Amino acid sequence: MGESATAQPRGILGWIERTGNRLPDPVFLFFWLIGGLIVISIIASLLGWSAAHPTEIDPETGAAQVIAAKSLLAAENIQKLWVEMPKTFTHFHPLGYVLVVMLGAGVAERAGLFGTAMRAGVRDAPKALLTPIIVAVGMMGNLAADAAYVVLIPLAGIIFHAAGRHPIAGIAAAFAGVSGGFSANLLPGQLDALLFGITEAAVETVFGDFTANIAGNWYFIAAMFAVFLPVIWYVTDKIIEPRLGTWDPARAGRPSDDEPSDRPLTGGERRGLRNAGFAVLAVVGLWLVFTFGPGTPLINEDATPEARLTPLYQSLVGGFFLLFLLAAWAYGRAAGTIGNHRDLVKMMSGSMEDLAYYLVLAFAAAHFVAMFTWSNLGLIMAVEGADALRSSGLPAWALLAGIIVLTGMLNLFVGSASAKWALLAPVMVPMLMLLGITPEMSTAAYRVGDGATNIITPLMVYFPLILIFCQRWQKDFGLGSLAATMLPYSVGLLVVGVALTIGWVVLDLPLGPGAQVFAPLPMGAEAAGAAVTS
């Protein structure tokens, strides 16, 4: 029997919950970090901390230019803070990426396309394949952002019950797919736009202009999908469901006649899904024409072979916007959820309202990243860290495995994927670049650690909601019960994710179109090891 939902959580999970609850909201966490950064920058400036810039060469001496730490209270930086505040916010790379993609994805969610697609994907699933289908739809459902949590997870409990299986096992499988497999997918989507926007900003803190490719982890996340699915399937069917036993309404504290039912798809919803599929094919066809048709507007014919596809990669943000928008329109018109263009505009406006908190978070994160750059501390820490790692002799796979574990531990205290990456990326990405590891590989390693522990921390924003879903079926199912149920998934996903990353690095496989694990050191990086500190 699970512990009472009102009982004070004990043990390591209770400590994590109590400690995490004492942390400030991520927005104020960034403001506190900015305050600490100001103090550190003053000390670093007074002590004369400096480093040899990895890419800039002094034309007179031929040596790497020495970059010194700057106080954030210096007149130059105070001026930047207040004069460039609008620019600092609006030029924060993740902001534009997320806003554009969400203009389309938000409409698809409001029109009902995402919810209906998930229902259609699981409600008629064969009993023998029920678990893997729900898990697969859950991982793909991450394209739908919050809709996967509020639609698929409770629906999985209903479907498992209808199949004569324990409904909480269905909820656990769906939760593991949606949240544990947060980055696993067959297609790039909103998360890729968000994370690679932060990665782009992190690279530019040291190496100047850099354009992120939001398809840079496509092959890797597809491989995550392939290896995570059997892990969640095995844990559900062989560990969790036998542990839960046969579901008995009386023993679970529910009246046997109080069972939710699944609503079948209407004719309009089925036509809407069909029309949405045609719309998706039309957008894909249009991009193929842009890429291979007359004039090849998405191919830079004059660039080097490595850079020829850069316009195509840069166009994917706009491509996903159009794909989601047209698919939503096609679905909504057939299903009756979109009456005319005014409904479409209203839904687009609503999707921007949903991003209100993200805009506040982005304002704080943008200034933290910018001020980190102005202080030169990011460069100094990256150079010093890269030099220490190089001296350690650790292979790349070991470094990346360590990053995965570190991210997983940090995820127990800071639930937001974007907030964690905004904290880690300014140091981690340039530091690994100095070791020849690409920004795409750094981002991929972060994603593995971020997803694996999502499902065991009570600080994850949807954790209480999942608990409520479980309590609909078993009244005394408490916080400890949910954490204990999800722990085997977390361990399995972390182990398999680390193994996948190690194998990927050792085999040096491409991470996505035009994205590799390793890249030549930036010009002058050989001088980076000669960092000078007082």
Side-chain angles (χ1 to χ4, degrees):
M1 297 289 288
E3 64 182 78
S4 170
T6 59
Q8 180 70 20
R10 298 180 296 274
I12 183 64
L13 291 171
W15 177 80
I16 290 172
E17 182 180 17
R18 291 189 298 273
T19 303
N21 285 339
R22 286 196 291 266
L23 290 175
D25 183 274
V27 173
F28 266 80
L29 181 62
F30 277 112
F31 287 140
W32 281 109
L33 288 171
I34 288 173
L37 182 63
I38 292 172
V39 173
I40 294 172
S41 72
I42 295 171
I43 297 172
S45 177
L46 292 174
L47 294 179
W49 292 0
S50 60
H53 198 288
T55 60
E56 294 184 3
I57 305 298
D58 189 322
E60 296 182 1
T61 65
Q65 289 189 355
V66 176
I67 306 299
K70 293 182 179 179
S71 168
L72 289 172
L73 291 186
E76 173 190 2
N77 285 331
I78 291 176
Q79 183 186 81
K80 280 184 180 179
L81 174 63
W82 300 110
V83 173
E84 298 184 9
M85 186 171 284
K87 178 181 177 182
T88 300
F89 179 37
T90 58
H91 286 211
F92 188 49
H93 295 294
L95 188 62
Y97 290 176
V98 172
L99 290 177
V100 170
V101 173
M102 278 301 296
L103 273 175
V107 175
E109 182 174 353
R110 280 170 167 71
L113 171 60
F114 287 148
T116 301
M118 284 186 282
R119 286 170 49 222
V122 300
R123 68 179 307 275
D124 295 324
K127 186 175 180 179
L129 298 178
L130 189 56
T131 302
I133 289 175
I134 282 177
V135 174
V137 172
M139 287 190 283
M140 290 296 294
N142 286 315
L143 294 171
D146 294 352
Y149 286 95
V150 299
V151 174
L152 179 64
I153 294 177
L155 180 60
I158 296 170
I159 292 173
F160 260 58
H161 170 258
R165 301 179 60 179
H166 202 296
I168 291 180
I171 291 173
F175 186 30
V178 173
S179 193
F182 189 58
S183 284
N185 216 304
L186 297 180
L187 294 171
Q190 302 170 56
L191 182 63
D192 297 81
L194 174 63
L195 294 183
F196 274 107
I198 296 173
T199 300
E200 181 175 315
V203 174
E204 291 182 347
T205 62
V206 174
F207 298 102
D209 289 342
F210 174 80
T211 300
N213 167 17
I214 72 164
N217 282 168
W218 193 344
Y219 305 157
F220 186 81
I221 62 175
M224 287 175 65
F225 183 98
V227 299
F228 280 7
L229 193 151
V231 170
I232 299 175
W233 185 1
Y234 177 85
V235 171
T236 301
D237 289 3
K238 301 300 182 182
I239 299 176
I240 300 305
E241 195 161 17
R243 178 178 177 272
L244 291 169
T246 303
W247 185 73
D248 181 355
R251 187 163 59 89
R254 292 186 78 251
S256 58
D257 60 348
D258 181 25
E259 299 173 357
S261 60
D262 179 25
R263 177 177 64 81
L265 299 184
T266 66
E269 288 173 335
R270 293 185 182 278
R271 287 192 301 273
L273 289 177
R274 181 196 61 201
N275 293 351
F278 290 147
V280 169
L281 292 176
V283 173
V284 171
L286 180 63
W287 247 247
L288 290 175
V289 172
F290 287 158
T291 304
F292 302 108
T296 59
L298 296 183
I299 300 291
N300 187 350
E301 302 288 359
D302 299 325
T304 61
E306 295 80 8
R308 290 182 73 247
L309 294 177
T310 298
L312 173 62
Y313 302 149
Q314 294 175 330
S315 75
L316 291 178
V317 173
F320 281 114
F321 156 71
L322 188 63
L323 184 146
F324 287 133
L325 188 66
L326 293 185
W329 173 265
Y331 170 85
R333 291 291 289 174
T337 55
I338 296 179
N340 52 43
H341 70 279
R342 290 182 176 83
D343 292 337
L344 188 70
V345 173
K346 185 181 298 183
M347 290 179 181
M348 295 175 75
S349 301
S351 67
M352 293 298 97
E353 292 174 5
D354 289 345
L355 290 175
Y357 176 80
Y358 174 75
L359 293 175
V360 178
L361 178 64
F363 177 82
H367 282 84
F368 171 77
V369 172
M371 294 173 74
F372 203 58
T373 304
W374 301 340
S375 70
N376 286 333
L377 290 176
L379 169 63
I380 294 172
M381 293 173 67
V383 171
E384 292 272 333
D387 190 46
L389 291 176
R390 188 181 294 110
S391 300
S392 72
L394 289 174
W397 62 263
L399 297 177
L400 292 166
I403 287 171
I404 292 173
V405 174
L406 171 65
T407 301
M409 294 175 62
L410 182 61
N411 195 36
L412 296 175
F413 301 94
V414 182
S416 168
S418 57
K420 285 194 303 296
W421 192 224
L423 289 171
L424 295 173
V427 173
M428 184 184 298
V429 172
M431 181 175 68
L432 292 177
M433 286 182 71
L434 292 173
L435 298 176
I437 298 172
T438 63
E440 291 85 359
M441 188 65 245
S442 302
T443 308
Y446 168 77
R447 299 173 79 152
V448 173
D450 174 61
T453 53
N454 267 340
I455 50 181
I456 60 172
T457 172
L459 302 179
M460 204 276 286
V461 292
Y462 283 104
F463 203 83
L465 180 64
I466 308 306
L467 183 62
I468 297 302
F469 291 155
C470 292
Q471 289 175 348
R472 288 175 55 191
W473 297 98
Q474 185 169 318
K475 297 294 186 184
D476 63 349
F477 198 85
L479 189 66
S481 304
L482 180 56
T485 299
M486 301 313 297
L487 185 59
Y489 293 106
S490 184
V491 173
L493 293 177
L494 187 61
V495 170
V496 171
V498 170
L500 174 67
T501 304
I502 292 174
W504 209 279
V505 173
V506 170
L507 296 175
D508 193 12
L509 301 174
L511 293 157
Q516 303 296 325
V517 173
F518 301 104
L521 293 177
M523 183 180 62
E526 61 276 3
V532 181
T533 57
S534 64

